[in-house]
Structures are given as structure tokens and as C-alpha cells.
Amino acid sequence: MKDTTNKLNLNKKIAVVGTLGALTVLLGITPIGFIRLPWGLAITLLHIPTILGTFVAGGIAGTGIGAIFGIFSMIQAASNPVGLDALFVNPLISVLPRLLLAPTAALIYYALCKIKPLPKAVSATVAAALATIVHTIYVSFALYLFAGTQVTNLMSGAGLGAFILLLLPNAVAEAIAAGVICGGVIGVISVTSEKKSKLAQEIEKTSLE
């Protein structure tokens, strides 16, 4: 029975990685992955499948999706090397921060889930928002650490702090989007799981009578 359960869990994780990894690529090659707000700000949704996959299937599965996200970013940068995007051909800039996203999201989410009165949907909302902002910081640090001279030249001499402040409006908008989407999905999953659990209890009770 234990081997069967482990196999089902593994199959579930593989399915989650494949599905959300494909969704990441789909978001990247279509306008769906980039939302342009009325005041001219553009936000990306490409990080959301990685965070959501972490919440649903754990940190290892999330890291797998993050790897797909990073590799796809690297391929995009190679095919359209313009401005800062050209620097993402370096895997230390395009892939490494995305590999760190899942463990970061997992740590925040599982820590919040330990707060008993807090619903999972709320934990997911807060964790997704915070992980998104930390991901922006990871990318910023990677850019300055591994391509500092090029970034400084492209940003007219702006330092790391100024660069992060420049990205802050985008990061906040992306954090809100990630929080709303991930919180909503986890909320639906939690309600559905609870209903299934209650149904299973009722069936078990009926069979014992």
C-alpha cells in the first residue's frame, strides 16, 4: 500500500511539473503572460506556475517548474538579445534565481501554514506575494553580481539599490497578481479536499453501520 501511495504521489508531482511547466512556456510565448496596466506598467505572470506548483506538490516539484521557467528565459534572451534581456543568456542570471524561487516560496508557505487559525488560502496569498518580491531581489542581485558592468552601463550608472527601487512598482503589481491567483487556487483546492474528506468519512460511517 505504501509503495502504491508513493507511486501515486510521484505521478502527481510529475503531472504537476509537466502541466505547470507547459503553462509557463505558454504564458511566455503569448500575450497572456504579460499584463499591461492602463498607466503603462507591464507585469509578468511567468513566475506564478512555479509558486503554485510549490504549494500544490512541494518544493522539489516547484524547483522543477522553476528550472523550466529559467531555461525558457535563457532561450528567449538568446533569441531576442535586446537591452537587459540579453544578459539572461547567462544561466546564473536566468536559471539560478528561478531555482531559488520554489524553496523560498515553500519556506514562507509552510511557516505560515503552521499558524493554525490561518486558512491555507491566506497563507498561500501572503507567501506568493512575498516570494514574488524576493524573486525580484534575487534576479536583481544576480544581474549585478554576474553582469554588473553591463547593467550599470545600461542603467546609466544606477546602482543595485536604485535598480531595485526602479523595479519595485512592477514587483508589487506582480506580487498582488501572484497572491490573488495562488490564494484563489489553493482556496478552491482546500474547500474541495475538505468536502471529499467529509464525504469519505460519511461513506466509512455508513459502511460500519
Side-chain angles (χ1 to χ4, degrees):
M1 179 65 75
K2 188 174 181 181
D3 290 341
T4 304
T5 302
N6 288 339
K7 187 174 181 181
L8 286 172
N9 289 337
L10 179 60
N11 289 340
K12 175 188 172 183
K13 289 181 180 182
I14 292 172
V16 169
V17 171
T19 302
L20 293 180
L23 178 60
T24 300
V25 174
L26 178 64
L27 290 173
I29 61 177
T30 64
I32 303 172
F34 300 92
I35 300 175
R36 187 161 293 281
L37 301 177
W39 50 89
L41 185 68
I43 63 174
T44 178
L45 305 179
L46 267 67
H47 62 294
I48 293 178
T50 299
I51 297 173
L52 187 57
T54 301
F55 295 166
V56 172
I60 294 176
T63 302
I65 301 165
I68 294 172
F69 176 20
I71 292 168
F72 177 70
S73 297
M74 186 169 59
I75 293 171
Q76 273 194 319
S79 61
N80 187 29
V82 179
L84 284 175
D85 288 343
L87 302 178
F88 283 79
V89 294
N90 183 344
L92 294 173
I93 296 173
S94 57
V95 180
L96 181 58
R98 280 63 193 258
L99 293 177
L100 295 174
L101 174 57
T104 300
L107 284 172
I108 299 171
Y109 180 58
Y110 295 138
L112 290 172
C113 284
K114 289 180 180 179
I115 304 174
K116 293 298 182 184
L118 205 63
K120 280 189 175 181
V122 176
S123 297
T125 299
V126 176
L130 290 177
T132 298
I133 292 173
V134 174
H135 171 252
T136 299
I137 295 172
Y138 285 158
V139 173
S140 301
F141 268 99
L143 280 166
Y144 272 86
L145 186 60
F146 301 113
T149 303
Q150 297 97 310
V151 176
T152 302
N153 291 337
L154 287 168
M155 298 301 297
S156 302
L160 176 60
F163 184 62
I164 292 175
L165 284 175
L166 184 66
L167 294 179
L168 192 58
N170 279 58
V172 171
E174 289 167 6
I176 292 171
V180 170
I181 293 172
C182 292
V185 172
I186 295 301
V188 171
I189 292 174
S190 296
V191 171
T192 304
S193 298
E194 187 177 343
K195 286 182 178 179
K196 284 182 179 179
S197 179
K198 287 182 178 178
L199 179 60
Q201 288 175 8
E202 288 298 324
I203 292 172
E204 185 178 353
K205 188 188 296 183
T206 304
S207 64
L208 290 173
E209 290 175 350

